[in-house]
Amino acid sequence: EDQVTQSPEALRLQEGESSSLNCSYTVSGLRGLFWYRQDPGKGPEFLFTLYSAGEEKEKERLKATLTKKESFLHITAPKPEDSATYLCAVHPRGSNTGKLIFGQGTTLQVKP
Amino acid sequence: DTAVSQTPKYLVTQMGNDKSIKCEQNLGHDTMYWYKQDSKKFLKIMFSYNNKELIINETVPNRFSPKSPDKAHLNLHINSLELGDSAVYFCASSPWGSGESEQYFGPGTRLTVT
């Protein structure tokens, strides 16, 4: 069964303290892996798409990487405004329908 | 300017009632989705329409019925509401339905069934 597991569930950082969020997946082939940010009371906001192992993408303080079994979202020198829940989702290769399988998310809190 | 909009944002109703949630996207996308997010923030797809055609219909009670009058709109009608239907419902859209394109989400509708 296709599955996505994110860790840790919650992460507290001091401003400037870099860290990484993990997304492990078990799918029958990967068509794409997506990272989203969700603020309280809002819908998920798209961050990155990764398609193949070894691929990396960056946006401001965020960098997403992909291996054959997991993806990492690295946060460098985070600021309080980076506090949010970060969601990972995969699109299995066997599906042509756009069905995404989401992890449960990592809630990040950055303290000033 | 809103890309994907939903109404209402909050919906409080009693068990047994019938309610609808509306979704509209102005991105020109071909594919639209309904997701349910439970109290643990787990997002699960319910339905997907591509150019008004149903392409994903997950194991959802048949009390839930999506309707797509045109490719910019996807509404969700729920009959005989139950306590377990309480959740946040998100609408999303993507340029095409093959799954390789990112999905853009609306602000959500928080449904509370009492």
Side-chain angles (χ1 to χ4, degrees):
Chain A
E1 184 185 347
D2 298 326
Q3 198 168 359
V4 178
T5 303
Q6 292 186 244
S7 61
E9 276 193 33
L11 181 62
R12 284 185 176 183
L13 299 173
Q14 288 296 129
E15 185 172 1
E17 180 187 359
S18 302
S19 188
S20 295
L21 281 54
N22 177 265
C23 171
S24 297
Y25 59 91
T26 306
V27 293
S28 49
L30 182 70
R31 203 157 181 169
L33 184 141
F34 301 82
W35 281 99
Y36 286 85
R37 168 190 171 130
Q38 186 174 21
D39 292 301
K42 296 193 176 181
E45 176 189 345
F46 170 74
L47 292 174
F48 303 109
T49 310
L50 301 166
Y51 293 107
S52 56
E55 190 175 358
E56 298 182 352
K57 289 200 176 165
E58 285 188 70
K59 180 180 179 180
E60 296 180 359
R61 296 176 292 281
L62 300 177
K63 178 179 175 181
T65 61
L66 181 65
T67 72
K68 287 187 177 180
K69 292 293 181 187
E70 57 192 350
S71 176
F72 291 94
L73 185 65
H74 307 278
I75 304 177
T76 303
K79 297 182 177 182
E81 54 262 41
D82 294 322
S83 298
T85 295
Y86 290 85
L87 300 169
C88 170
V90 299
H91 182 242
R93 184 168 293 281
S95 170
N96 277 328
T97 60
K99 175 182 173 181
L100 292 182
I101 299 168
F102 277 84
Q104 79 278 25
T106 293
T107 299
L108 172 66
Q109 184 181 27
V110 181
K111 293 193 169 185
Chain B
D1 274 338
T2 305
V4 181
S5 59
Q6 294 177 230
T7 53
K9 186 158 177 63
Y10 300 97
L11 188 52
V12 181
T13 189
Q14 291 184 326
M15 284 175 56
N17 285 347
D18 302 339
K19 290 293 178 186
S20 291
I21 307 172
K22 295 186 175 182
C23 177
E24 176 181 2
Q25 55 95 3
N26 62 6
L27 297 166
H29 289 168
D30 285 343
T31 308
M32 297 183 72
Y33 310 82
W34 276 112
Y35 285 86
K36 179 180 180 180
Q37 188 171 47
D38 61 26
S39 56
K40 294 186 178 180
K41 301 226 170 182
F42 188 63
L43 260 174
K44 189 169 183 185
I45 193 163
M46 300 172 68
F47 301 103
S48 171
Y49 270 76
N50 186 50
N51 268 325
K52 300 196 299 176
E53 180 185 348
L54 181 66
I55 57 172
I56 296 176
N57 186 353
E58 288 295 289
T59 308
V60 175
N62 57 16
R63 299 181 293 102
F64 290 79
S65 54
K67 283 187 173 56
S68 181
D70 55 60
K71 75 173 192 177
H73 296 85
L74 180 61
N75 304 323
L76 183 65
H77 188 75
I78 316 170
N79 289 327
S80 303
L81 277 154
E82 300 178 357
L83 291 176
D85 298 331
S86 295
V88 182
Y89 292 85
F90 287 100
C91 177
S93 72
S94 64
W96 55 88
S98 62
E100 286 139 348
S101 61
E102 62 271 18
Q103 296 177 17
Y104 295 87
F105 285 78
T109 296
R110 181 173 293 277
L111 172 65
T112 303
V113 183
T114 62

